[in-house]
Amino acid sequence: MTLRPVAAQHFERLTEICEVCGTRLIQYVPRCSACGAERPPRVHATSSLQRQPGCTRIAHLSDLHVGSNGTNPTALECFLWWIEELQQISVDALVISGDLVDCSEDLSSLQAIRKALEGSQIDWHVVPGNHDVPSEPGTASSFAAVFGRFPKVKRSGFVEFILLDSNAGIPFTERGTYDRVIAPTGLFGACITDGRVGRQQLAECDAGLAPERPAHRILVLHHHLVHQQAEPLCGPLRDDFARTMRALQDAAAVLEWAAARGVSMVLHGHKHLAMRAGVHRGGIAVLGGGSSTQGPPPFRSRIIDLDPTGGRRVIDVEMLR
């Protein structure tokens, strides 16, 4: 196995107006809707995995779906390969933005993932995805038994991670018909789909944030923040409004909360395509992890280098067999 860098992106500025035609740009969408011109941050043609001195290096994986049927290699095998490769490039922290397993009751797969994380000697941070929680969030779950309850605020050097459960903010009675009627039956492997963080989690996080703002605050959750028609890395994609893969219901409130607290980056999953990175007002870089184990090789991930002065470099990488 080997990791190949694809491209690097530097998040240094946010442009609200298209530099080519003057049209106001849509948040998160990487091209102008009027003329098609690409917006900053620019994608650099060459990249290197060489690490800069003094940086903290983070790897972002998502949507492992360990225990899913019919994959070759298996999702667990692929995840273990990722661990090996990330050790080789001296990653300081590994973030997994949900859907660690395919079935919320798969305790053995959750335990296998935790064992691999603890044996990696890499600092790690996870959040639950919609596949990780039972059909009625808030009830006892295997994920909580293995990884604890959320939200959590954890510090790693000059980086502070805010870890949210984007499934927990919707009472069962307020969920849509699919979540209330079909998901509990388990028909076709159904699971809940909609996400909301809720005010209570944000209030709990406020109590755990460091009094002095660190160089970087990174918010991690499973559901994506925008109903996207953005250009993905792997081809056209539109939001699935009919049933699954819908965006976070209270995304605007979460982004407003994050901007007020100096969050510099949001990492999410849920979509299984690695979306082009976007930038929201306030310079918040938003990175969707796609799926790091599903589909044919090469498998994709992102490496994030952060420096103590606030600089950010994101490297798209492929794992080649």
Side-chain angles (χ1 to χ4, degrees):
M1 306 297 295
T2 185
L3 289 184
R4 180 175 74 90
V6 180
Q9 303 175 60
H10 296 259
F11 295 89
E12 297 171 351
R13 64 194 181 100
L14 173 65
T15 300
E16 299 289 348
I17 304 297
C18 177
E19 297 175 348
V20 177
C21 70
T23 300
R24 180 169 292 278
L25 296 171
I26 302 171
Q27 292 185 41
Y28 203 101
V29 178
R31 294 183 184 276
C32 175
S33 60
C35 70
E38 186 171 338
R39 69 182 295 177
R42 307 293 185 189
V43 178
H44 297 259
T46 59
S47 180
S48 169
L49 283 171
Q50 181 176 355
R51 180 171 171 166
Q52 301 299 312
C55 284
T56 290
R57 171 160 285 187
I58 298 166
H60 178 205
L61 304 183
S62 194
D63 292 73
L64 308 179
H65 288 275
V66 171
S68 54
N69 296 322
T71 59
N72 183 25
T74 69
L76 181 58
E77 288 173 333
C78 189
F79 174 60
L80 296 177
W81 290 342
W82 275 117
I83 293 289
E84 293 177 5
E85 295 300 320
L86 298 178
Q87 289 171 325
Q88 294 298 315
I89 60 170
S90 301
V91 166
D92 297 302
L94 168 59
V95 173
I96 308 176
S97 52
D99 280 359
L100 279 66
V101 293
D102 199 54
C103 175
S104 63
E105 298 176 357
D106 191 351
L107 178 61
S108 61
S109 289
L110 288 164
Q111 291 172 332
I113 293 169
R114 173 139 193 165
K115 180 179 179 181
L117 290 170
E118 291 181 339
S120 70
Q121 298 185 348
I122 299 173
D123 193 16
W124 54 270
H125 310 282
V126 304
V127 297
N130 60 301
H131 278 258
D132 298 319
V133 299
S135 296
E136 188 168 352
T139 59
S141 69
S142 297
F143 190 92
V146 175
F147 292 105
R149 67 173 299 275
F150 292 80
K152 299 179 181 180
V153 177
K154 298 176 71 175
R155 186 74 176 259
S156 181
F158 53 80
V159 183
E160 193 170 51
F161 294 92
I162 303 170
L163 309 173
L164 301 177
D165 180 355
S166 60
N167 309 281
I170 314 178
F172 186 73
T173 54
E174 294 183 18
R175 289 189 169 271
T177 301
Y178 181 85
D179 281 5
R180 288 185 292 104
V181 177
I182 300 177
T185 68
L187 188 65
F188 307 117
C191 61
I192 61 166
T193 62
D194 289 337
R196 187 193 301 166
V197 170
R199 296 180 179 178
Q200 180 178 342
Q201 281 197 81
L202 299 181
E204 287 186 44
C205 290
D206 274 330
L209 294 177
E212 295 185 5
R213 184 176 297 178
H216 297 272
R217 273 188 174 142
I218 298 180
L219 189 150
V220 186
L221 75 171
H222 181 62
H223 289 77
H224 50 289
L225 299 174
V226 177
H227 288 297
Q228 304 165 43
Q229 294 184 2
E231 176 188 353
L233 294 171
C234 311
L237 176 68
R238 292 180 181 270
D239 237 346
D240 178 5
F241 291 97
R243 195 180 75 170
T244 63
M245 299 292 187
R246 290 188 290 190
L248 187 74
Q249 290 183 358
D250 57 347
V254 170
L255 278 170
E256 182 180 1
W257 180 91
R261 286 148 185 83
V263 169
S264 59
M265 186 169 289
V266 175
L267 306 181
H268 70 79
H270 203 38
K271 293 282 190 181
H272 281 200
L273 292 180
M275 300 295 295
R276 291 278 301 278
V279 182
H280 281 272
R281 285 188 177 89
I284 299 177
V286 181
L287 281 72
S291 174
S292 307
T293 63
Q294 301 294 291
F299 302 105
R300 284 184 175 269
S301 177
R302 284 190 169 113
I303 305 301
I304 305 162
D305 286 340
L306 305 173
D307 69 45
T309 65
R312 302 169 286 179
R313 182 177 72 149
V314 178
I315 309 168
D316 296 312
V317 295
E318 294 177 339
M319 183 169 63
L320 307 174
R321 294 183 66 181

